[in-house]
Amino acid sequence: MSPLLDIDEVEHRYRDVVALGPVDLQVDAGEFLVIVGPSGSGKSTLLRLVAGFERPTTGSVTLAGRPPRPGRDVGLVFQQPRLFPWHTVNGNITAALRWAGVPRAERPAAAASLLAKVGLGDLGKRRVWEISGGQQQRVAIARALAARPRLLLLDEPFAALDALTRERLQEDVRGLTDTEGQAAVFVTHSVDEAVFLATRIIVLSDRPGRILLDLPVDLPRTGVPAAELRGWAEYAALRGEVATAVRAIQPS
Ligand code: ADP
């Protein structure tokens, strides 16, 4: 079976700067891929290529067999929620549903279901400034899911949140790809976040980013409480392996 996402021998340059590659990477439906790498290693460039905002200088990127269409084929979540401040929570989700082509009559039920999915069931009528940063990021995730994308791209989405809020969001996001065959590509600087969320971790080198480590993570996705899982010996061993790879990166 062909992969959902196929990054085939991709290199990307900005004028004379080689930002990324060559990178060869395939992601299947259901995978939760986490990318770890130093600043400037091309992580955002990789996400922009997958979102269709950039075309690779060499090689090809295909999603379900076609070049990704910008703003259409993937759901995007950034470090800042980037919500419409003049809309309510519901208004933000409804705007995304409209953009995704969901018929008007179906939008209220679809919005309610998305908000329930991210744990915000009763906050639909609130204004964006009336909810916390963590809740705003939940709205951003619900909005990214509105078009039912096969692939969700998350670029350091929890970096600006406090530790407790971050852990709660990690626990909720971890389950997102377990249903409906969606896949996620998630960028982080946190080794611990990578091990907790991933079914597979990629460590990128310094610029131009190349794959230094491609590590499957075989921790249970359901049935073990998060706090317990974080204390497992296998969890610590994976964290150690990724941290060692990250520490070994030589600045270019
Ligand atoms: P990361 O997300 O890992 O920090 P980026 O993908 O943002 O890395 O950047 C990779 C490299 O490409 C960096 O050296 C950066 O300076 C360079 N770069 C990124 N975007 C541009 C651009 N639009 N024009 C020129 N250089 C860029």
Side-chain angles (χ1 to χ4, degrees):
M1 217 176 65
S2 52
L4 173 62
L5 172 66
D6 191 2
I7 297 170
D8 187 17
E9 290 300 323
V10 162
E11 190 178 85
H12 197 67
R13 293 168 190 262
Y14 298 101
R15 285 176 291 281
D16 53 347
V17 177
V18 186
L20 181 75
V23 166
D24 200 48
L25 176 66
Q26 288 74 39
V27 181
D28 290 322
E31 277 197 272
F32 201 121
L33 180 81
V34 179
I35 300 177
V36 184
S39 287
S41 62
K43 302 181 296 296
S44 301
T45 299
L46 186 65
L47 292 192
R48 282 202 292 275
L49 290 165
V50 174
F53 297 142
E54 308 254 7
R55 297 276 162 192
T57 313
T58 57
S60 68
V61 176
T62 52
L63 188 60
R66 296 186 312 190
R69 297 167 301 173
R72 287 282 171 194
D73 290 328
V74 301
L76 288 162
V77 184
F78 304 96
Q79 186 171 335
Q80 300 300 331
R82 302 187 188 183
L83 304 176
F84 295 131
W86 56 89
H87 275 321
T88 60
V89 167
N90 256 332
N92 272 275
I93 306 295
T94 304
L97 290 165
R98 186 172 60 234
W99 171 244
V102 175
R104 181 185 290 268
E106 293 171 23
R107 286 177 210 154
S113 145
L114 284 165
L115 287 178
K117 197 166 188 170
V118 296
L120 291 179
D122 47 358
L123 293 186
K125 292 201 171 69
R126 297 274 184 94
R127 298 271 157 190
V128 165
W129 66 81
E130 292 174 327
I131 61 174
S132 70
Q135 288 168 332
Q136 289 182 16
Q137 201 55 307
R138 287 176 187 273
V139 178
I141 294 167
R143 181 183 56 185
L145 294 169
R148 296 176 161 270
R150 307 274 308 272
L151 186 64
L152 202 55
L153 303 181
L154 306 106
D155 196 356
E156 297 190 54
F158 306 150
L161 302 176
D162 67 86
L164 201 61
T165 305
R166 186 171 185 157
E167 279 198 7
R168 293 212 179 110
L169 272 148
Q170 286 170 354
E171 286 161 27
D172 291 344
V173 158
R174 194 169 191 259
L176 282 179
T177 57
D178 297 344
T179 51
E180 300 170 31
Q182 278 177 327
V185 177
F186 186 111
V187 165
T188 184
H189 278 109
S190 161
V191 171
D192 187 74
E193 183 164 84
V195 172
F196 183 73
L197 290 176
T199 61
R200 178 180 171 200
I201 298 174
I202 297 279
V203 176
L204 286 185
S205 69
D206 212 339
R207 183 170 66 81
R210 294 178 191 180
I211 295 174
L212 291 179
L213 180 73
D214 186 345
L215 185 71
V217 176
D218 204 14
L219 295 169
R221 308 291 290 174
T222 53
V224 181
E228 193 181 312
L229 188 70
R230 291 180 199 271
W232 279 20
E234 293 93 323
Y235 190 94
L238 285 161
R239 218 173 37 197
E241 192 170 345
V242 177
T244 302
V246 170
R247 268 199 299 272
I249 295 169
Q250 302 293 330
S252 55

